């Protein structure tokens, strides 16, 4: 029997058996894994609680996706685990993480890099546990679940189209906050590591766009969720893999290195962004931003500015000018101005775009800023929020190249807005106060991020901070 066939036999057996066998119900499971997870979790790139000690774990759900008894090859255990940590001003005390653990009596050399450790006691005593996404046999189990949707314990698998079998999986190494598997250059499966109650926008928005016939975003082919409480937790989304496409960040840096303009690409990307916004506005509600909501928006921006200034002293001299950029929006609201709101990408930059060989731009990764709470990421916002993110990304690209070429960034920013206006009929520069406020808010976020994670990059957003503060004060 082939390896793939044996995996499918084991999968069928596990489906017929209890969805949550006794080994995962055993109260000894989590205590036996805890020492290994204490050491392994904080080292993962997608672990959001770095810098805070892990004080404990709470098991939300455990599901055997393949038997853990070792008689039919590797076992596969799906865990939702609440990680307990001290709270911070801008971070909750506990986060819920999704883990897929393989279990074997011994680990093949090819999987050595996925090792978590050997379990000393409990139901998995003597077994080696590891990150299952790196095991092709276990990655194939996930694809099989999508091919034959339904429920397994608290997990539910859905699909919208047929999925072929036998696609070879491989792990993408570029992810930061999640993990991704590519199946045979046909599909990409994003596994959300930190999960929240409520539908993830990276599922919700591409489904809505697919319903509108928008081809700028790959439509979900399948997904899976858990329902340990009243609201579902989106765990993963399978979408077509845009084989051969290059992301906008790589293309922009290549243009800079070659001394080329990026104007046709920026203009086409503006058109693509406008098409996505138009489809989202047609698919989902578009409440107006007026009065109280405007003041609330400005208050939240001001709060983020003040918190960032406390953490990054270099911001302090610019706070009055930056605050003026926000207050200009309040003043317009008081005079009766209002703006359209809708669902937006929420974290748009060059790295969230893909360009095919024929020049067609696609937008990807609609999860929003992972650091923000999920309800906030699902709230409508003015479309210029996405525009501001892309304008900041052009600035980042220009600053990452030596010598710095601010004129290149300025031309790209103008071309992008021109393309957006051509496709939507609305030039985002026609709302200068709102656009400047959102670009300021984004730059403040960047300052805080760089100060915490990449201090060498801090001059990039600080240059924008100086420009924006001067512009608001003029």
């Amino acid at each position: 029997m082939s390896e793939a066939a044996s995996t499918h036999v084991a999968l069928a057996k596990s489906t017929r058996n209890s969805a949550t066998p006794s080994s995962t119900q055993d109260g000894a499971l989590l205590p036996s894994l805890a020492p290994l997870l204490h050491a392994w979790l904080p080292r993962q790139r997608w672990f959001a609680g770095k810098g805070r000690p892990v004080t404990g774990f709470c098991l939300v759900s455990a599901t055997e996706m393949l038997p853990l008894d070792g008689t039919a090859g590797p076992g596969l255990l799906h865990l939702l685990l609440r990680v307990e940590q001290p709270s911070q001003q801008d971070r909750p005390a506990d986060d819920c993480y999704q883990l897929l653990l393989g279990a074997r009596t011994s680990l093949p050399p090819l999987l050595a890099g996925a090792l978590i450790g050997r379990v000393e006691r409990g139901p998995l005593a003597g077994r080696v546990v590891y990150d299952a996404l790196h095991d092709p046999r276990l990655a194939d189990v996930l694809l099989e679940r999508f091919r034959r949707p339904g429920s397994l314990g608290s997990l539910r698998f859905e699909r919208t189209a047929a999925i072929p079998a036998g696609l070879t999986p491989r792990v993408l190494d570029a992810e930061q906050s999640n993990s991704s598997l590519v199946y045979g250059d046909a599909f990409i499966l994003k596994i959300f590591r930190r999960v929240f109650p409520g539908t993830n926008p990276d599922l919700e928005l591409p489904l809505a766009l697919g319903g509108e016939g928008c081809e700028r975003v790959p439509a979900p082919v399948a997904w899976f969720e858990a329902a340990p409480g009243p609201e579902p937790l989106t765990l993963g989304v399978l979408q077509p893999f845009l084989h051969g496409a290059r992301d906008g960040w790589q293309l922009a840096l290549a243009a800079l290195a070659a001394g080329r303009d990026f104007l046709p690409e920026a203009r086409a990307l503006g058109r693509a962004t406008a098409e996505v916004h138009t489809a989202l506005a047609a698919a989902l509600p578009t409440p107006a931003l007026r009065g109280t909501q405007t003041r609330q928006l400005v208050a939240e921006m001001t709060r983020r500015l003040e918190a960032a200034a406390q953490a990054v002293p270099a911001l302090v001299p610019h706070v009055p000018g930056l605050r003026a950029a926000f207050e200009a929006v309040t003043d317009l609201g008081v005079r009766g101005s209002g703006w359209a709101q809708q669902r937006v990408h929420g974290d748009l930059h060059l790295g969230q775009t893909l360009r095919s060989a024929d020049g067609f731009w696609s937008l990807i990764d609609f999860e929003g800023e992972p650091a923000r709470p999920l309800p906030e990421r699902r709230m409508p916002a003015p479309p210029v929020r996405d525009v501001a993110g892309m304008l900041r990304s052009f600035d980042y690209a220009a600053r990452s190249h030596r010598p710095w070429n601010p004129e290149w960034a300025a031309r790209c920013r103008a071309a992008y807005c021109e393309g957006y206006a051509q496709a939507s009929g609305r030039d985002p520069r026609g709302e200068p106060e709102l656009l400047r406020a959102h670009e300021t808010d984004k730059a403040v976020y960047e300052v805080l991020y760089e100060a915490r994670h990449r201090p060498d990059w801090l001059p990039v957003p600080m240059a924008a901070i100086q420009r924006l503060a001067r512009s608001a004060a003029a």
Side-chain angles (χ1 to χ4, degrees):
M1 182 182 295
S2 70
E3 185 175 275
S6 66
T7 299
H8 297 168
V9 169
L11 177 58
K13 289 180 179 178
S14 72
T15 302
R16 291 194 296 269
N17 293 336
S18 169
T20 310
S22 58
S23 64
T24 58
Q25 293 172 346
D26 192 328
L29 174 69
L30 184 56
S32 69
L33 292 174
L36 303 179
L37 296 178
H38 265 289
W40 179 77
L41 264 176
R43 299 199 306 267
Q44 306 313 300
R45 286 185 296 178
W46 41 261
F47 184 67
K50 289 181 173 60
R52 294 181 293 153
V54 173
T55 58
F57 301 103
C58 177
L59 189 62
V60 177
S61 73
T63 305
E64 282 189 21
M65 298 185 68
L66 277 181
L68 295 169
D69 56 16
T71 59
L76 176 58
L77 177 64
H78 182 281
L79 295 182
L80 290 176
L81 195 66
R82 193 165 300 282
V83 179
E84 299 168 354
Q85 296 184 275
S87 61
Q88 289 181 343
Q89 181 179 4
D90 59 344
R91 289 302 308 262
D94 303 338
D95 283 321
C96 185
Y97 289 90
Q98 175 181 196
L99 305 181
L100 289 111
L101 305 183
R104 292 175 179 257
T105 54
S106 62
L107 202 62
L110 288 176
L111 294 177
L115 175 67
I116 296 176
R118 184 175 294 276
V119 183
E120 300 294 337
R121 55 193 175 90
L124 297 179
R127 308 290 297 279
V128 174
V129 295
Y130 58 99
D131 186 346
L133 297 186
H134 293 268
D135 188 337
R137 293 183 65 180
L138 299 184
D140 188 54
V141 169
L142 283 173
L143 190 66
E144 281 299 301
R145 287 294 178 196
F146 289 126
R147 295 185 66 240
R148 300 186 293 170
S151 296
L152 180 68
S154 65
L155 307 180
R156 180 161 185 83
F157 294 78
E158 305 275 2
R159 67 176 171 86
T160 61
I163 301 170
L167 299 175
T168 302
R170 71 177 190 275
V171 177
L172 289 185
D173 294 327
E175 289 283 355
Q176 295 294 327
S177 57
N178 300 297
S179 299
S180 288
L181 289 167
V182 172
Y183 288 95
D185 289 338
F187 302 104
I188 182 169
L189 171 62
K190 178 187 284 188
I191 298 290
F192 300 110
R193 289 299 196 164
R194 188 161 61 114
V195 296
F196 307 85
T199 303
N200 194 297
D202 212 9
L203 172 62
E204 178 189 15
L205 298 187
L207 280 176
L209 289 164
E212 291 295 321
C214 180
E215 298 180 351
R216 293 291 186 176
V217 177
V221 175
W223 61 92
F224 73 120
E225 299 175 316
E231 290 189 275
L233 288 78
T234 307
L235 302 178
V237 181
L238 185 75
Q239 292 174 287
F241 181 62
L242 303 180
H243 180 61
R246 297 180 66 190
D247 74 57
W249 179 256
Q250 295 173 329
L251 291 168
L253 294 188
L256 279 161
R260 289 190 291 104
D261 267 330
F262 197 64
L263 303 186
E265 295 90 340
R267 193 172 289 110
L269 185 53
R271 289 194 293 269
T273 306
E275 289 178 21
V276 170
H277 281 170
T278 300
L280 285 173
L284 298 166
T286 56
L289 177 65
R290 295 185 182 277
T292 302
Q293 289 181 316
T294 301
R295 289 191 291 273
Q296 182 179 354
L297 172 68
V298 170
E300 291 170 354
M301 290 178 168
T302 303
R303 176 187 57 77
R304 289 192 286 268
L305 169 61
E306 292 172 349
Q310 289 181 351
V312 186
L315 263 181
V316 173
H318 308 289
V319 166
L322 301 176
R323 190 183 289 117
F326 301 147
E327 292 171 351
V329 174
T330 301
D331 293 342
L332 286 176
V334 169
R335 295 200 293 268
S337 295
W339 297 273
Q341 289 193 110
Q342 63 170 82
R343 295 298 297 277
V344 297
H345 183 284
D347 189 25
L348 190 60
H349 53 78
L350 287 165
Q352 308 283 42
T353 67
L354 292 173
R355 185 176 181 267
S356 64
D358 63 3
F360 187 82
W361 283 102
S362 299
L363 274 58
I364 59 172
D365 293 339
F366 280 72
E367 188 179 358
E369 292 178 4
R372 296 194 178 193
L374 184 61
E376 184 178 325
R377 286 186 266 147
R378 298 181 68 194
M379 291 178 62
V384 295
R385 177 178 170 186
D386 280 349
V387 173
M390 189 60 71
L391 299 186
R392 293 293 313 121
S393 192
F394 286 124
D395 196 31
Y396 257 77
R399 281 270 177 176
S400 68
H401 183 263
R402 298 291 183 271
W404 176 41
N405 191 341
E407 293 79 13
W408 183 94
R411 291 193 298 269
C412 286
R413 290 156 62 95
Y416 176 81
C417 290
E418 291 165 4
Y420 190 99
Q422 291 169 0
S424 69
R426 300 183 308 277
D427 192 325
R429 295 168 296 184
E431 300 173 330
E433 294 85 2
L434 193 64
L435 179 58
R436 184 174 59 203
H438 278 88
E439 191 175 355
T440 299
D441 189 45
K442 183 68 173 178
V444 168
Y445 168 85
E446 292 165 355
V447 165
L448 188 60
Y449 179 89
E450 304 299 6
R452 286 177 171 174
H453 302 287
R454 302 187 302 183
D456 290 347
W457 283 71
L458 187 57
V460 178
M462 283 303 303
I465 289 292
Q466 295 167 12
R467 170 176 59 82
L468 291 162
R470 287 195 303 267
S471 175

